[in-house]
Amino acid sequence: MSKIQKIKGVADLFPPESNKFNFMERTAREVFSRYGFKNVRIPIMEKTELFARSIGEETDVVQKEMYTFPDRKGRSLTLRPEATAGLMRAYIENKLYAAESVSKLFTFGPMFRYERPQKGRMRQFHQLDVEVIGAKDAQTDAELLLMLYSFLRELGLKKLAFEINSLGCRECRPKHRQALKEFFESINKDELCEDCRRRVDSNPLRVLDCKQERCRELTKDAPKITDYLCEDCHNSFEEIKRILTEMNVEFVHNPRLVRGLDYYVGLTFEVTSSDIGAQTAVAGGGRYDGLIKQLGGPDLPAIGFALGMERLALLLQDLDNDGIDFYVAVLDEKGSTPALMLAQELRAAGLCGEAGYTKGSMKSRLRAANKAKASWCLMLGTDELEAGEVTVKNLESGEQERMKSSAVCEYLIANR
Ligand code: HAM
């Protein structure tokens, strides 16, 4: 029979790789809850319309990258390409706004985008996603960036670049759009790539985000959105920069940072690393006031970000934390049940370990204990069984000590 293999762009994760994902999730829970965020779980599938209406019809994500399919009754469903749209749908549907004026939520799990797979770019990838709904001030924005910064430091990642920009609001955006249109009239549009030629009319801001060398060259003198900000947007952006500077967060203002999703207004940001290949963004986010209203909810401001776990994993050291505390070695055939009982007692006390039930020679049992990366081997031989004792061997130092079975638990905990 031929073997069935996984589909392109997805991954099976085993230790030590899966340890990194556990570590990221554990750290996220710890750090985000210190800032008052609550963990929520939402579906992986949503109605296609949700993504079209929030991410934007004209974006690459909606046009080219969604896994969209009809269900058995012909309704169009999509595997989520990101978490923000689904979280906002859930926020509105569950009327969280009626219970609290500000909601701070985070979620994590798999996302799906039909992209060309390469290092750090998968078709099924994982995000840690964070959203603040109901607050609109520079302090909220700066604090969210500080939390992102602290989280990355807690993971041990220090060599990352923070880029920020402001995309303005409904008041300043049209003036910039007009200036951009005039600018595009002044260059030879035919030299732009096919996507950008289309975007010049549909979404001129996105042309600034094109990664093609020729497009970047042609648009290097394009008007910057930050030169067109209204007073409120300008003051808010200046205040965010002031707080970050005061808190010693290093950042650069990148006026070309426009992001690939249409819902952003005001502050946008990305965290990048030059150590993970062509896909440099490990996190991205920004403000998206207006989206909740657009999805049929109240007119509430919101801001958030998502971290790409596969890209973070490329930066993390291998975490070999799959060692265990004890391995019970059975050297006499009467030892299997006592071994099981001892292992149960130790696990109940919070120690982790295994009992090898098959009887064997001392040499083969010690080999098994070392293979399991145990700190101690607990030996049950004929003498020990008769005396109700255990020989406890420290596998690192080689020292061993014989003691009553009832004393083992306390001994291991004291010497852990
Ligand atoms: P995004 O920039 O599209 O934003 O994705 C966030 C992060 O997800 C990226 O910086 C990257 O690390 C990771 N990522 C995206 N696509 C892939 C892929 N194909 N393979 C591996 N990693 C990937 C959002 O998704 C927004 N929803 C973020 C947000 C939350 N904005 C406001 N709230």
Side-chain angles (χ1 to χ4, degrees):
M1 283 271 241
S2 63
K3 274 183 267 166
I4 298 174
Q5 295 187 322
K6 66 179 181 313
I7 58 178
K8 198 171 162 186
V10 306
D12 304 314
L13 297 180
F14 294 98
E17 198 60 13
S18 56
N19 293 340
K20 295 184 189 173
F21 281 70
N22 293 339
F23 171 60
M24 285 185 261
E25 289 177 1
R26 202 170 56 238
T27 310
R29 281 182 202 285
E30 274 170 28
V31 175
F32 300 164
S33 58
R34 268 183 237 152
Y35 287 76
F37 284 82
K38 297 191 183 81
N39 184 218
V40 294
R41 290 160 197 252
I42 51 166
I44 282 171
M45 279 185 289
E46 299 275 359
K47 291 181 183 161
T48 303
E49 192 195 344
L50 173 70
F51 301 113
R53 231 206 275 175
S54 50
I55 295 170
E57 294 278 7
E58 280 296 322
T59 57
D60 283 353
V61 173
V62 170
Q63 293 232 324
K64 309 181 194 163
E65 297 169 4
M66 294 208 301
Y67 278 90
T68 296
F69 54 94
D71 72 2
R72 287 180 183 276
K73 293 230 166 107
R75 290 167 292 221
S76 181
L77 303 182
T78 293
L79 296 181
R80 61 181 184 189
E82 55 109 55
T84 311
L87 255 177
M88 293 312 114
R89 195 263 319 131
Y91 173 85
I92 298 165
E93 196 167 335
N94 293 280
K95 296 196 177 64
L96 263 64
Y97 48 86
E100 52 193 17
S101 58
V102 177
S103 295
K104 293 168 131 188
L105 310 172
F106 73 96
T107 192
F108 39 75
M111 311 290 153
F112 305 85
R113 293 186 195 177
Y114 194 88
E115 293 189 86
R116 202 164 39 78
Q118 56 171 239
K119 188 178 170 193
R121 189 162 72 193
M122 304 290 290
R123 290 185 173 169
Q124 175 173 339
F125 61 100
H126 297 77
Q127 283 186 346
L128 298 167
D129 183 272
V130 176
E131 316 287 353
V132 183
I133 307 142
K136 185 179 167 67
D137 44 67
Q139 281 70 23
T140 299
D141 297 10
E143 191 183 39
L144 193 72
L145 277 169
L146 280 170
M147 183 174 85
L148 173 57
Y149 181 77
S150 307
F151 171 71
L152 292 165
R153 289 187 93 80
E154 201 110 347
L155 290 183
L157 305 176
K158 294 188 180 141
K159 277 182 14 205
L160 295 167
F162 272 66
E163 295 183 7
I164 67 170
N165 193 22
S166 174
L167 295 185
C169 64
R170 257 160 263 147
E171 204 182 306
C172 23
R173 280 273 264 278
K175 291 184 200 130
H176 178 244
R177 198 183 157 103
Q178 187 54 37
L180 264 184
K181 283 203 152 169
E182 281 162 23
F183 171 80
F184 289 132
E185 291 306 320
S186 74
I187 62 166
N188 186 359
K189 279 186 285 187
D190 294 342
E191 287 187 49
L192 292 168
C193 73
E194 199 188 318
D195 281 340
C196 285
R197 284 203 298 274
R198 188 166 41 79
R199 287 177 188 141
V200 162
D201 295 314
S202 63
N203 194 350
L205 201 58
R206 286 280 286 139
V207 178
L208 303 183
D209 193 37
C210 184
K211 301 286 180 284
Q212 306 261 353
E213 203 52 53
R214 187 68 193 129
C215 295
R216 293 188 87 83
E217 175 65 26
L218 281 167
T219 59
K220 72 178 192 311
D221 296 323
K224 297 185 181 101
I225 174 75
T226 34
D227 290 337
Y228 290 80
L229 296 182
C230 67
E231 202 181 335
D232 280 356
C233 287
H234 173 79
N235 290 346
S236 168
F237 193 49
E238 290 303 310
E239 181 65 359
I240 293 163
K241 289 194 285 184
R242 187 191 65 74
I243 301 173
L244 293 179
T245 308
E246 207 159 290
M247 301 299 285
N248 293 322
V249 176
E250 271 183 49
F251 64 88
V252 288
H253 170 205
N254 173 3
R256 300 182 78 103
L257 180 70
V258 303
R259 311 267 305 126
L261 314 165
D262 275 356
Y263 47 61
Y264 292 112
V265 292
L267 180 73
T268 51
F269 51 91
E270 262 177 21
V271 182
T272 56
S273 164
S274 47
D275 296 334
I276 51 172
Q279 300 303 314
T280 58
V282 298
R287 198 157 257 297
Y288 53 93
D289 308 342
L291 175 62
I292 298 171
K293 186 165 177 227
Q294 209 173 306
L295 293 175
D299 191 5
L300 287 171
I303 181 167
F305 65 79
L307 291 132
M309 295 177 77
E310 279 72 9
R311 295 191 192 166
L312 287 175
L314 290 172
L315 292 165
L316 292 175
Q317 306 285 332
D318 272 359
L319 294 167
D320 231 354
N321 58 358
D322 51 353
I324 56 176
D325 294 317
F326 65 85
Y327 182 92
V328 191
V330 178
L331 306 173
D332 180 296
E333 61 211 12
K334 290 198 211 78
S336 301
T337 306
L340 171 70
M341 286 163 68
L342 180 61
Q344 276 297 89
E345 182 198 341
L346 299 178
R347 290 177 188 136
L351 294 161
C352 43
E354 278 185 46
Y357 302 120
T358 30
K359 175 188 151 280
S361 68
M362 171 95 85
K363 204 170 152 204
S364 82
R365 296 301 81 204
L366 280 173
R367 208 181 310 124
N370 277 314
K371 196 160 178 229
K373 297 185 190 155
S375 305
W376 285 288
C377 183
L378 311 178
M379 292 181 281
L380 292 175
T382 314
D383 281 2
E384 283 93 343
L385 284 167
E386 273 168 18
E389 295 181 348
V390 178
T391 298
V392 177
K393 187 178 174 77
N394 182 322
L395 292 176
E396 207 177 300
S397 66
E399 283 167 21
Q400 63 181 56
E401 212 174 309
R402 199 162 140 167
M403 63 188 76
K404 283 273 168 219
S405 300
S406 55
V408 174
C409 187
E410 209 172 304
Y411 177 85
L412 295 192
I413 289 173
N415 294 286
R416 208 175 183 184

